[in-house]
Amino acid sequence: MQSDTIISARGLSKIYLVADTPVPALVDVDLDVKRGEFCCIVGTSGSGKSTLLYMLAGIETPTRGSITILGKRTDRMSEGQLVKFRRDNVGFVFQAFNLMPAMTAQQNVALPLSLKGVDRFERNLRAKRMLKAVGLEKHIRHRPMQMSGGQQQRVSIARALVTSPDIIFADEPTGNLDSHTGEEIIRLLSDEVRRHGKTLVMVTHDIEKAKYADQIVHIRDGRMIKIENNRQEEANKHENPGD
Ligand SMILES: Nc1ncnc2c1ncn2[C@@H]1O[C@H](COP(=O)(O)OP(=O)(O)O)[C@@H](O)[C@H]1O
Ligand SMILES: [Mg+2]
């Protein structure tokens, strides 16, 4: 594993049992993501994208294979260790936003900080700053129902970034948005992640949404079928014969 690799999966498989019948959702996937990279996982519905993302994020456990994140074997962690690992290192953006309906934008964004024990003054300040960064300074006191889908997804991006995690995972973050708003959200996500030197792993069924990614991983029927390197500097860099 190279030293700038932040996520490394080997032989990753997930087999669900449905009425005693094994359903192979993911088969023998190897994947490396570098620090600061935007990696996009692309495939049609049912190809295993969410399964892969949830295993990388430590939400699902693999049937087989290993996952190393920030030098730690997350596949060997207990549920308690995983909860702590996710809280300290990972932000998650969901297709359906998953905001708390009774809370304001600011309270939603501050929530992960309160789980980390940050005091009230500090967490309100950081939540406000983060909402400003995603263009929602005027919506701090709005509840999810009082915001558009695009605005709700901005809140959820602010919530994912507010603890300053090293890695952001996003599962079809534009799936519930119209294409114009979706485009804005991808740009915001990719800009914020790059500005702060974060690593982003995003899942989408829409190849058009992968255009800002450095690495594009194609999966079909649970298998990785192609990896595209989309990084401009890499493409222009000359091969070093001594390497
Ligand atoms: N909890 C589950 N139990 C049984 N089968 C599942 C479960 N989750 C996903 N699957 C199956 O695994 C396959 C991949 O699903 P998923 O990862 O959600 O695909 P995608 O996100 O690409 O649409 C599908 O055939 C799906 O039906
Ligand atoms: Mg999915």
Side-chain angles (χ1 to χ4, degrees):
M1 188 168 80
Q2 288 180 308
S3 59
D4 59 347
T5 301
I6 192 165
I7 303 174
S8 180
R10 289 291 174 271
L12 208 56
S13 298
K14 180 73 179 183
I15 298 161
Y16 291 108
L17 273 182
V18 181
D20 291 335
T21 309
V23 177
L26 206 71
V27 185
D28 217 12
V29 165
D30 294 340
L31 176 66
D32 287 308
V33 180
K34 288 182 189 158
R35 188 178 279 279
E37 184 173 84
F38 175 5
C39 171
C40 196
I41 299 164
V42 183
T44 54
S45 174
S47 56
K49 305 181 296 294
S50 295
T51 303
L52 174 57
L53 198 73
Y54 285 24
M55 289 199 295
L56 295 177
I59 298 170
E60 284 273 7
T61 50
T63 308
R64 274 196 307 273
S66 67
I67 304 169
T68 309
I69 299 188
L70 293 155
K72 302 214 173 68
R73 282 287 296 268
T74 56
D75 60 290
R76 290 181 176 159
M77 288 182 186
S78 67
E79 190 48 45
Q81 288 171 316
L82 278 174
V83 168
K84 188 176 180 320
F85 184 84
R86 285 199 301 265
R87 194 184 63 203
D88 293 340
N89 303 292
V90 163
F92 213 101
V93 179
F94 299 90
Q95 175 172 348
F97 324 133
N98 294 18
L99 299 172
M100 305 294 264
M103 291 185 173
T104 64
Q106 187 174 24
Q107 288 166 335
N108 267 287
V109 176
L111 193 60
L113 294 172
S114 96
L115 299 177
K116 283 177 78 104
V118 176
D119 73 55
R120 195 191 165 107
F121 178 81
E122 174 73 16
R123 63 181 193 252
N124 283 337
L125 192 72
R126 281 167 67 180
K128 208 166 162 178
R129 210 182 283 152
M130 208 59 241
L131 281 165
K132 194 171 174 210
V134 299
L136 288 179
E137 60 267 56
K138 298 207 178 88
H139 297 77
I140 286 170
R141 293 185 210 298
H142 285 58
R143 288 176 212 286
M145 282 282 285
Q146 301 165 326
M147 289 184 279
S148 68
Q151 289 168 337
Q152 290 183 60
Q153 197 58 303
R154 283 168 191 269
V155 174
S156 125
I157 290 169
R159 180 184 57 185
L161 287 162
V162 76
T163 55
S164 206
D166 280 325
I167 307 169
I168 310 290
F169 293 100
D171 189 4
E172 305 261 14
T174 64
N176 285 11
L177 304 175
D178 65 75
S179 64
H180 174 72
T181 310
E183 173 78 22
E184 281 179 1
I185 287 295
I186 299 285
R187 282 232 294 275
L188 173 73
L189 193 54
S190 118
D191 286 354
E192 278 301 310
V193 159
R194 289 196 196 282
R195 190 188 340 264
H196 299 284
K198 308 292 178 199
T199 305
L200 171 64
V201 184
M202 183 182 98
V203 154
T204 179
H205 66 274
D206 179 5
I207 185 68
E208 171 68 12
K209 296 286 184 302
K211 66 183 176 209
Y212 300 107
D214 302 311
Q215 174 178 214
I216 306 172
V217 175
H218 295 257
I219 67 170
R220 185 193 293 161
D221 298 332
R223 291 171 195 274
M224 190 182 281
I225 52 167
K226 184 167 79 169
I227 297 182
E228 278 176 80
N229 194 333
N230 207 16
R231 203 172 210 160
Q232 209 55 46
E233 317 95 88
E234 292 273 323
N236 294 338
K237 208 164 69 183
H238 292 291
E239 284 277 86
N240 180 349
D243 238 7

